[in-house]
Amino acid sequence: MTDKMLQLDEIIRGYGRVIVGFSGGVDSTLVAYAANKILGANALIILGRMETITSDDVELARSIALENRFNYREISYNELEIDQYASNPVNRCYFCRKELFSRLKNLANEENIPFILDGANLDDTSDYRPGRIAAKESDVRSPLIEAKMTKQDVRSVAKFYNLPNSDKPASPCLSSRIPYGIHIDRKAIEQIASAEKFIREKGFTNVRVRHYQTTAKIEVDAWAIDKLKRMNDIVEAHLKQLGYVEIIIDEEGFQSGKLNKGIVKE
């Protein structure tokens, strides 16, 4: 692990000046922290604020930036206005990342910064990640992949550096809860965010509310399913207040990327 930490530092040192795409997740936090540690003000840390990122994640990102004195900025735009995004094709993430990286490239050109970094780790190369295509097209560098760091490596290093989100569950954008082909709109995003926050506040760690228009399918960790069932009445009542008609508890339990099952990778 020490070797990987040193390798990550050397990779980032070699960039000289960078922009880091920062989301508040543990992966991009580690890249931002390391870039700030090695390059100081020559690392510009950018949080993209969109509708599909929860307010809790935004506040966490801001607190990390403040505590570590990042050279930090925010950019805001409406993801739902991105061409082909709201129609929710199977490569939706490509269009999302393409827009983000385009904006970061424009900023990099304005600031004369040669490199843009993201938080992709080695595990991301073995999953369905259409956003990786956009990263390659935009010449975005992925120092965690270059340092051959897996997700577990990232968490271990983040814990060593006492980063507050070292054990934070993965929190992909809220659009990932909507099956491909179902149109994405602000109402659906707000329903999902409110439903998941309510359930998490009841003591659940990994929570996904899969949004099938008027049906909500809830995933929690397999060991917590019985606990969720005991709370079914209050959870169902709250989700119906949000506009759902049918509420289903997924008996398989939480599985990250479940909606990607069955997609043929080319």
Side-chain angles (χ1 to χ4, degrees):
M1 186 55 60
T2 301
D3 289 343
K4 289 186 179 182
M5 290 167 65
L6 293 174
Q7 187 176 6
L8 178 64
D9 287 353
E10 286 305 305
I11 289 168
I12 290 176
R13 183 176 287 108
Y15 296 140
R17 299 186 69 218
V18 302
I19 284 178
V20 180
F22 177 50
S23 68
V26 65
D27 300 313
S28 65
T29 297
L30 178 58
V31 174
Y33 179 87
N36 181 68
K37 175 170 66 80
I38 298 297
L39 303 176
N42 284 325
L44 178 56
I45 316 300
I46 303 293
L47 173 69
R49 288 190 58 198
M50 291 82 81
E51 299 88 339
T52 59
I53 298 177
T54 68
S55 58
D56 288 345
D57 284 342
V58 170
E59 291 307 315
L60 174 61
R62 286 173 173 168
S63 67
I64 292 171
L66 180 63
E67 181 178 350
N68 292 282
R69 299 183 179 179
F70 289 168
N71 178 16
Y72 170 82
R73 297 185 202 170
E74 296 182 8
I75 58 174
S76 300
Y77 56 94
N78 187 346
E79 271 186 312
L80 301 180
E81 294 178 354
I82 298 172
D83 185 39
Q84 300 188 63
Y85 182 91
S87 61
N88 200 14
V90 293
N91 61 340
R92 177 197 67 242
C93 291
Y94 168 81
F95 300 104
C96 169
R97 289 294 169 182
K98 186 178 179 69
E99 178 69 19
L100 174 62
F101 294 145
S102 174
R103 290 172 181 267
L104 294 183
K105 282 187 74 173
N106 289 339
L107 182 57
N109 290 335
E110 292 172 5
E111 301 286 344
N112 195 28
I113 296 175
F115 294 103
I116 299 171
L117 313 185
D118 71 5
N121 67 64
L122 195 61
D123 292 343
D124 293 326
T125 63
S126 61
D127 196 1
Y128 178 65
R129 290 284 192 273
R132 296 297 304 146
I133 299 173
K136 291 178 181 178
E137 289 178 352
S138 300
D139 198 28
V140 172
R141 305 298 291 268
S142 303
L144 298 177
I145 293 177
E146 293 180 44
K148 296 181 171 55
M149 296 182 71
T150 65
K151 186 74 170 188
Q152 187 53 53
D153 292 335
V154 171
R155 291 195 183 280
S156 296
V157 176
K159 188 173 184 178
F160 175 83
Y161 286 135
N162 292 317
L163 298 180
N165 54 0
S166 61
D167 294 324
K168 181 179 181 292
S171 182
C173 85
L174 295 169
S175 294
S176 67
R177 295 10 171 216
I178 303 176
Y180 298 117
I182 295 179
H183 186 80
I184 302 170
D185 57 26
R186 186 182 297 274
K187 178 182 177 183
I189 294 299
E190 290 175 350
Q191 280 181 292
I192 296 165
S194 296
E196 290 190 352
K197 184 174 184 178
F198 180 81
I199 296 169
R200 282 196 304 271
E201 288 174 347
K202 299 303 177 186
F204 297 89
T205 302
N206 288 304
V207 178
R208 296 288 186 273
V209 174
R210 307 296 184 187
H211 179 95
Y212 296 82
Q213 295 174 320
T214 59
T215 297
K217 194 170 186 179
I218 306 171
E219 295 176 25
V220 296
D221 291 307
W223 59 265
I225 291 175
D226 287 342
K227 176 181 176 180
L228 180 61
K229 287 180 177 179
R230 292 194 294 271
M231 297 183 176
N232 184 65
D233 289 347
I234 58 172
V235 171
E236 183 171 301
H238 184 78
L239 267 60
K240 285 186 175 179
Q241 286 181 356
L242 297 175
Y244 290 109
V245 175
E246 183 181 19
I247 291 84
I248 299 171
I249 296 175
D250 190 330
E251 296 287 348
E252 291 182 348
F254 166 75
Q255 293 181 26
S256 181
K258 183 175 286 188
L259 296 183
N260 287 339
K261 285 185 177 180
I263 294 177
V264 178
K265 286 182 276 189
E266 296 182 0

